[in-house]
Amino acid sequence: MAYDQATTYETIELFGLTEKDAQLPIPSDDILKDQIIRETFESLLGQLRNTGLEAEIEPLAHGLATVLQRRKVAIANELDRTADKIGALAKSHDGSEISETSLEEAQARFLQLREVVGAIETMSEAAAQCYEGETGHAFIPASGSRASARAKETGAVFEAKQLLEQHDRETAEKSKVQGVPLIVSGATDWTDIDVIFSTLDKVRDRIKQNRNQDIFICHKGGKNGAEMIAARWARARGVAQARFDPRWSAHGRAAPFKCNDEMLDDKFAPTGVVLFGGNGVALNLGQKAEAKGLTVMRVSDKAKSKPES
């Protein structure tokens, strides 16, 4: 019996079945998007169409996309903690074999996590696109010094510093929002997708021609109407978007108006405002923007073919 077990273990080891996940390859983006995410959505939700559970498609799709969003954040947090650990190990490195091994293991874990974060991010984006395709709604989710003595700065320590500096640069670059801020707001009952898409396409092209820059849109993250459609437009066009969430607990009923003030702040320097219909909050936004000398484009209703400036 002992021989049989030993043979089995040797066979498993021979064929590499004991590999840890760190040694296994990450699937390609095409596999992550299509064979994993899109097929998962279709397998689960496709069977619910035209049944008594069709109403559950939207919350289930949103739940799937949200799980990936949260997992992406969790792994990114672990990546940051590992970066801090590498910094601490590099700083306290004393030239011993134990210190060297610990540093190399932390670096290996860091590199593995970076690949995992990228893969989960790809899956998360694909899930958001599947949610939008399935429901027609926009998916709106919700270090210390690393110096050490030169005498103890081994190759592993130097590589650790280079790795951290590269990570810091890439993180800062990904956090930048390039372009000209354009505020978008309007009616929560707006349903004409074509008007919003065509209007924002024209505004984007005009700003590109005049200022040689792309736009990024700013909105309050409305889950219905004009802002929801504008968010879908931004995702479809690959345009960045900044969401200003009303802080209801802090400002009460004045929260949406406080958001207007934040979006219009001089340090943010918006280039203009586009309003698709709207209520008192949207009217307040337009009036405050004009008082600051900003251009306000008003699309009064979906029946009009040309927006008024």
Side-chain angles (χ1 to χ4, degrees):
M1 188 67 172
Y3 174 82
D4 292 339
Q5 289 177 338
T7 303
T8 301
Y9 295 147
E10 289 173 0
T11 303
I12 291 175
E13 186 174 1
L14 176 65
F15 288 96
L17 300 180
T18 58
E19 279 190 306
K20 296 181 179 179
D21 58 350
Q23 299 170 292
L24 297 173
I26 299 291
S28 67
D29 286 357
D30 289 341
I31 292 176
L32 293 173
K33 293 177 183 177
D34 297 325
Q35 296 181 27
I36 296 178
I37 296 301
R38 292 194 170 94
E39 288 187 9
T40 296
F41 268 77
E42 183 60 30
S43 296
L44 175 62
L45 305 178
Q47 303 300 318
L48 301 181
R49 299 189 193 104
N50 301 316
T51 73
L53 293 175
E54 189 163 11
E56 298 302 314
I57 288 179
E58 195 279 337
L60 286 172
H62 194 280
L64 283 174
T66 300
V67 165
L68 286 165
Q69 287 282 345
R70 291 176 176 172
R71 186 58 187 160
K72 178 181 70 174
V73 172
I75 298 176
N77 289 338
E78 184 179 352
L79 180 68
D80 290 339
R81 290 194 297 270
T82 306
D84 292 340
K85 180 179 179 180
I86 291 174
L89 289 171
K91 184 178 179 179
S92 63
H93 194 280
D94 59 8
S96 68
E97 184 177 348
I98 294 176
S99 294
E100 195 82 353
T101 301
S102 298
L103 188 57
E104 290 174 355
E105 288 177 351
Q107 286 181 258
R109 178 60 176 163
F110 182 88
L111 293 172
Q112 180 202 12
L113 284 171
R114 286 190 64 183
E115 290 190 1
V116 174
V117 167
I120 297 296
E121 192 168 10
T122 297
M123 295 170 68
S124 176
E125 178 63 23
Q129 293 173 359
C130 288
Y131 170 83
E132 292 175 353
E134 193 70 45
T135 67
H137 299 153
F139 179 74
I140 304 176
S143 75
S145 172
R146 295 188 294 270
S148 62
R150 294 292 301 177
K152 299 176 183 177
E153 198 167 89
T154 65
V157 174
F158 178 77
E159 290 177 6
K161 290 184 175 182
Q162 296 292 99
L163 189 63
L164 288 173
E165 288 170 3
Q166 179 187 1
H167 174 63
D168 290 344
R169 287 195 300 270
E170 292 180 0
T171 300
E173 189 64 30
K174 288 176 69 175
S175 299
K176 288 182 180 178
V177 180
Q178 303 288 347
V180 180
L182 177 72
I183 300 172
V184 180
S185 188
T188 56
D189 59 353
W190 188 284
T191 58
D192 196 325
I193 296 174
D194 292 338
V195 169
I196 291 182
F197 269 55
S198 63
T199 299
L200 293 180
D201 281 339
K202 292 174 183 176
V203 172
R204 183 189 186 193
D205 290 342
R206 187 186 308 166
I207 291 176
K208 276 186 175 180
Q209 292 173 1
N210 295 339
R211 303 180 61 166
N212 196 31
Q213 286 182 285
D214 204 349
I215 64 172
F216 70 89
I217 66 168
C218 313
H219 57 81
K220 293 188 288 293
K223 295 184 178 180
N224 299 292
E227 292 180 355
M228 182 272 288
I229 298 172
R232 288 180 58 191
W233 173 86
R235 186 180 292 277
R237 299 293 189 263
V239 172
Q241 48 186 312
R243 196 175 78 185
F244 291 74
D245 293 308
R247 288 175 286 173
W248 299 100
S249 59
H251 300 133
R253 293 182 180 180
F257 300 97
K258 292 289 185 181
C259 277
N260 289 347
D261 296 337
E262 291 174 5
M263 289 190 292
L264 292 170
D265 194 289
D266 290 336
K267 65 184 178 184
F268 196 55
T271 188
V273 178
V274 181
L275 299 176
F276 296 95
N279 50 21
V281 176
L283 294 175
N284 172 267
L285 175 62
Q287 291 169 356
K288 288 180 176 178
E290 288 175 332
K292 295 176 76 69
L294 297 176
T295 300
V296 178
M297 173 181 286
R298 291 182 173 85
V299 183
S300 59
D301 61 60
K302 58 186 179 183
K304 290 188 175 182
S305 58
K306 294 182 179 180
E308 298 177 357
S309 300

